[in-house]
Amino acid sequence: MKFNTKTIHGGQENTDPAYGSVMPPIYQTSTYSQSSPGEHKGFEYSRSANPTRTALEKSLASIENAKFGLAFGSGLAAIDAVIKLFKTGDEIISTSDLYGGSYRLFTSIFENFGIKFHFIGMQDASKIEKYINEKTKLIWVETPTNPMMNIIDIEAVSKIAKKHELLLGVDNTFATPYLQQPMELGADIVMHSATKYLGGHSDVVLGALVVNDEKLAEKLYFIQKASGAVCGPQDSFLVLRGIKTLHLRMQRHCENGEAVAKFLRNHPKIEKVYWPGFEDHPNHDVAKKQMTGFGGMISFTTKKNTLESAIKMVENLKVFTLAESLGGVESLAGHPASMTHASIPKEERVKTGVVDSLIRLSVGVEDEEDLIEDLKQALD
């Protein structure tokens, strides 16, 4: 199947066997009858497996060209399961420019259990090797990164990981499988905050992992079952529904993102615009190689370069909504330093470019003229 067809049919039964339902039903149940102890129809308790969640997990695997999919209660719950693969004394190398919640999970939770994290810039993949030692177990990549839109060469990092027999995990939330296929580039684990583009309508919180290796999948399924951070059937249904229009929405996100990025770059009150589609964006050539488009996520700073100028602008927006999160059909604006990345110490934020004047946009699927007019009036 081609990708657009996979979003609708990938990994799915054409109809539900019970009554011919075209969409997988919402199996709102905690448990399942057994004809004899241990004899059932593949489901015994919904923390272990639920038919609606299983349908979603098959869909997730399909659109990422993977064999196994796992769905969790949130993106952070999915990352939590990955880090639980490791033990005290193990070391993980992570990109330094990453979602604040991931940073908080790594430093405030897992460092307390004796797992050591190295946060480094990964734009030049060759610099990763000097941080690798016999205790290193995982390289964790976001690309494009949140919120600086830095591009990391997944294939180059994969070669390093394989050379040293390390796992490579890729957070593919910003790009989605529509724009980027990390499994094809050598990733071992692909993670999504499905709350974002996969759900696509700002009405669900859910996380996902996909893997190809059966033994790795078994370990993660065990962690999923044992730790219990699973999503419910209603949430699974909403993400399944969202995936069916992913290709349509992403096309418009990309079109609108390009229009907004070009408008901002030419505006006299804007200092810098971070969007991978610009030819002078760091690693633009890598983005062209590993992505089929540049997405609808944009960050920028004002020429005044002050917290006040950023706050004033986002408060004046009318079509863009000031809110955390991203990837919904509606356009959102955020202030990373005080919202999504507030958990990262200021000195660490500034090192990666997350200054007080930085604004992040999730460009939605509205008419581009309305979005540009809204930005224009807010800046003026």
Side-chain angles (χ1 to χ4, degrees):
M1 289 183 188
K2 301 292 185 183
F3 183 84
N4 294 355
T5 308
K6 278 185 178 181
T7 63
I8 299 166
H9 300 289
Q12 304 300 295
E13 303 291 336
N14 287 330
T15 57
D16 180 70
Y19 296 103
S21 167
V22 173
M23 278 295 288
I26 302 171
Y27 283 92
Q28 195 71 51
T29 183
S30 60
T31 193
Y32 308 82
S33 66
Q34 303 186 22
S35 56
S36 183
E39 293 185 13
H40 48 75
K41 297 179 180 179
F43 300 92
E44 50 188 333
Y45 188 62
S46 278
R47 173 167 40 78
S48 304
N50 173 284
T52 316
R53 191 173 90 226
T54 297
L56 171 60
E57 291 174 334
K58 289 180 177 179
S59 174
L60 292 166
S62 173
I63 60 175
E64 282 284 8
N65 288 333
K67 295 178 182 176
F68 307 98
L70 301 91
F72 295 83
S74 69
L76 283 170
I79 300 174
D80 177 86
V82 173
I83 308 304
K84 283 176 178 171
L85 291 166
F86 311 110
K87 64 182 186 303
T88 300
D90 289 343
E91 297 189 8
I92 294 169
I93 301 171
S94 168
T95 179
S96 56
D97 170 23
L98 79 168
Y99 168 51
S102 303
Y103 180 89
R104 180 179 55 215
L105 178 67
F106 294 164
T107 58
S108 298
I109 303 295
F110 283 104
E111 280 190 350
N112 293 331
F113 292 99
I115 297 176
K116 185 175 181 179
F117 293 85
H118 300 275
F119 297 97
I120 65 170
M122 293 186 178
Q123 288 88 328
D124 181 355
S126 65
K127 293 183 178 179
I128 295 173
E129 285 199 87
K130 67 180 180 181
Y131 294 91
I132 296 173
N133 58 52
E134 68 280 359
K135 297 179 180 179
T136 310
K137 304 297 180 184
L138 170 74
I139 301 175
W140 185 257
V141 166
E142 269 185 26
T143 183
T145 61
N146 181 4
M148 301 308 298
M149 312 302 155
N150 286 318
I151 301 298
I152 297 169
D153 190 331
I154 298 171
E155 190 171 21
V157 179
S158 170
K159 289 176 181 177
I160 293 169
K162 285 176 170 52
K163 175 183 173 183
H164 295 276
E165 298 183 344
L166 308 176
L167 290 173
L168 171 59
V170 177
D171 183 338
N172 201 28
T173 299
F174 271 26
T176 81
Y178 178 79
L179 298 179
Q180 184 170 269
Q181 298 274 331
M183 302 300 291
E184 302 289 302
L185 298 169
D188 299 292
I189 303 169
V190 176
M191 173 268 167
H192 285 277
S193 174
T195 307
K196 314 308 195 288
Y197 285 108
L198 299 189
H201 293 79
S202 302
D203 55 8
V204 62
V205 174
L206 193 142
L209 297 176
V210 299
V211 299
N212 268 332
D213 182 80
E214 187 172 1
K215 288 185 178 179
L216 179 58
E218 287 174 359
K219 290 178 182 178
L220 288 168
Y221 280 125
F222 176 79
I223 292 169
Q224 182 193 45
K225 176 180 177 179
S227 294
V230 296
C231 52
Q234 176 73 30
D235 292 345
S236 299
F237 175 87
L238 288 171
V239 174
L240 261 174
R241 185 183 66 170
I243 287 173
K244 290 180 184 294
T245 59
L246 176 65
H247 54 303
L248 303 173
R249 290 183 285 105
M250 287 306 297
Q251 181 179 344
R252 179 58 67 87
H253 284 301
C254 289
E255 292 167 356
N256 284 356
E258 180 176 2
V260 167
K262 289 178 176 178
F263 162 76
L264 288 170
R265 172 165 265 201
N266 292 321
H267 197 283
K269 292 185 179 180
I270 299 301
E271 181 69 25
K272 293 181 181 178
V273 182
Y274 303 94
W275 180 67
F278 291 132
E279 290 188 2
D280 58 353
H281 186 85
N283 278 358
H284 170 73
D285 289 343
V286 176
K288 282 178 65 178
K289 179 185 72 172
Q290 70 186 20
M291 301 173 71
T292 58
F294 302 110
M297 296 301 301
I298 301 163
S299 291
F300 64 95
T301 56
T302 59
K303 279 195 173 169
K304 286 186 177 179
N305 197 30
T306 62
L307 174 65
E308 291 72 25
S309 65
I311 297 299
K312 184 176 181 182
M313 183 194 169
V314 296
E315 287 179 345
N316 285 335
L317 291 166
K318 294 180 172 60
V319 178
F320 282 84
T321 301
L322 176 60
E324 295 198 4
S325 200
L326 59 105
V329 291
E330 64 288 304
S331 292
L332 301 178
H335 182 247
S338 63
M339 296 169 73
T340 54
H341 290 65
S343 59
I344 300 177
K346 182 171 181 177
E347 60 272 18
E348 295 300 321
R349 287 201 311 265
V350 172
K351 284 180 189 176
T352 61
V354 185
V355 295
D356 285 346
S357 64
L358 188 77
I359 295 169
R360 190 191 73 181
L361 300 180
S362 172
V363 181
V365 299
E366 303 93 339
D367 279 308
E368 68 176 59
E369 292 87 352
D370 291 329
L371 298 177
I372 289 171
E373 281 300 316
D374 190 33
L375 292 166
K376 190 181 296 182
Q377 66 82 23
L379 285 163
D380 292 342

